[in-house]
Amino acid sequence: MAEHLFHLTANWPGLRNDIGDIKAGNLETQVSIPPEMDGPGVGTNPDEMLLGAAATCYIITLAAMMERSNLDKESLTMESIGVVDVTKGVITYKKIIHRPIIVLKHNATEKDCNLANKLAQQAEKSCMISRAIKGNVEIKLEAEIKTA
């Protein structure tokens, strides 16, 4: 078994509504509580970072699966939405919705379109971040397959 270690350093100079910073590999940014939760909204926040981790893991996994399947694409884009519930002071990250748009080459067949849809579903189940949060955060997939 090979383990990969990822390191992050954090500095939080003040109290709740202060601004901190984090550094992890190529990621270096300020962090604070978002304005939706009565924070200063400077830099990024844990909610955006979880959404970013889930979205980038998913789209990279999908692209790799499409490559291994020799499925040519014109483009692969995606919008992802994080749904956070705040009820009676309890904050719960409820759901992430991925909306990938796969545009296949103009000569794509119905079989290619079906394969793209199948890979979109498999990628969500195969992504390391999706597996890590499974059972805690619902992941919903709304894939759209088109031809150029």
Side-chain angles (χ1 to χ4, degrees):
M1 176 173 89
E3 289 184 339
H4 300 281
L5 303 178
F6 297 92
H7 298 274
L8 181 140
T9 58
N11 176 41
W12 195 264
L15 301 174
R16 181 193 188 276
N17 279 345
D18 209 336
I19 299 163
D21 60 80
I22 59 169
K23 295 177 186 174
N26 291 321
L27 173 65
E28 186 173 336
T29 188
Q30 290 183 304
V31 292
S32 70
I33 295 172
E36 297 86 352
M37 296 176 189
D38 299 321
V42 176
T44 190
N45 58 67
D47 309 286
E48 289 174 343
M49 288 192 294
L50 180 60
L51 180 61
T56 55
C57 183
Y58 172 81
I59 202 165
I60 291 168
T61 301
L62 177 54
M65 291 176 138
M66 290 175 72
E67 181 181 332
R68 282 193 301 274
S69 297
N70 295 314
L71 186 59
D72 287 333
K73 65 175 173 56
E74 197 67 37
S75 66
L76 173 57
T77 58
M78 187 170 73
E79 175 189 23
S80 292
I81 300 165
V83 179
V84 175
D85 180 58
V86 182
T87 303
K88 296 180 183 175
V90 177
I91 302 167
T92 305
Y93 212 117
K94 291 182 71 170
K95 180 183 354 182
I96 292 174
I97 304 164
H98 292 314
R99 293 183 177 145
I101 300 172
I102 303 168
V103 180
L104 299 176
K105 298 284 185 180
H106 67 82
N107 60 346
T109 64
E110 188 177 336
K111 183 179 177 185
D112 293 333
C113 292
N114 290 337
L115 177 58
N117 190 50
K118 179 181 173 188
L119 294 176
Q121 304 296 324
Q122 286 179 343
E124 191 277 310
K125 294 175 182 75
S126 300
C127 164
M128 174 181 69
I129 302 299
S130 294
R131 291 193 328 264
I133 63 176
K134 186 177 177 146
N136 291 308
V137 178
E138 175 191 352
I139 301 212
K140 185 175 180 189
L141 186 64
E142 298 174 358
E144 185 177 343
I145 316 298
K146 302 179 183 181
T147 53

